[in-house]
Amino acid sequence: MCTIPERRHSFQRIAERILYEQTQPVDYLHIWLNGYQTVDSALPRNPRIIYHLEPENPGPWVRYRVADNLAENDILITLDDDLYYPTDYINSGLNELSRKKSADVIS
């Protein structure tokens, strides 16, 4: 997920929803701080959050950089800092991937 200083409030709400309220927990939440000079002390702290500073604000595409370091069976889910996700968002996505994988095996 990318965020900018102007969306600090909505980002904090989304981070809480993803980290603490999902029916399927995430392993890590990579956050690109576009336009930030430092990691603001008011931002959420959690061992699963990995902050990446991007003072020049290269845009939302930088969130895909993490894909370069994924293991073969890792799953990357991208999020926006201004959408309020349902509590089953991660679980629903994983279920859909499983359903698709099962359909591919049967075909």
Side-chain angles (χ1 to χ4, degrees), residues 61-107:
W61 67 269
V62 297
R63 65 181 160 196
Y64 297 105
R65 284 184 186 164
V66 72
D68 293 338
N69 300 311
L70 295 177
E72 184 176 332
N73 291 321
D74 286 347
I75 297 170
L76 173 64
I77 298 170
T78 63
L79 303 166
D80 289 307
D81 65 352
D82 60 347
L83 297 176
Y84 198 61
Y85 296 92
T87 57
D88 66 343
Y89 185 75
I90 303 297
N91 195 50
S92 294
L94 294 174
N95 286 340
E96 187 62 25
L97 285 172
S98 293
R99 188 187 68 74
K100 175 70 173 141
K101 185 177 180 180
S102 294
D104 288 347
V105 170
I106 293 171
S107 299

Side-chain angles (χ1 to χ4, degrees), residues 21-39:
E21 299 174 9
Q22 289 297 304
T23 56
Q24 173 67 46
V26 297
D27 295 331
Y28 298 102
L29 185 58
H30 286 265
I31 307 297
W32 277 264
L33 298 173
N34 288 348
Y36 282 80
Q37 300 303 312
T38 61
V39 178

Side-chain angles (χ1 to χ4, degrees), residues 1-49:
M1 174 189 323
C2 292
T3 193
I4 55 176
E6 295 82 12
R7 290 187 176 168
R8 180 176 292 126
H9 180 71
S10 64
F11 158 68
Q12 290 173 318
R13 188 177 56 181
I14 302 310
E16 285 182 20
R17 172 56 60 109
I18 298 302
L19 290 170
Y20 304 113
E21 299 174 9
Q22 289 297 304
T23 56
Q24 173 67 46
V26 297
D27 295 331
Y28 298 102
L29 185 58
H30 286 265
I31 307 297
W32 277 264
L33 298 173
N34 288 348
Y36 282 80
Q37 300 303 312
T38 61
V39 178
D40 188 315
S41 63
L43 294 175
R45 301 290 181 195
N46 183 292
R48 295 181 290 160
I49 295 178

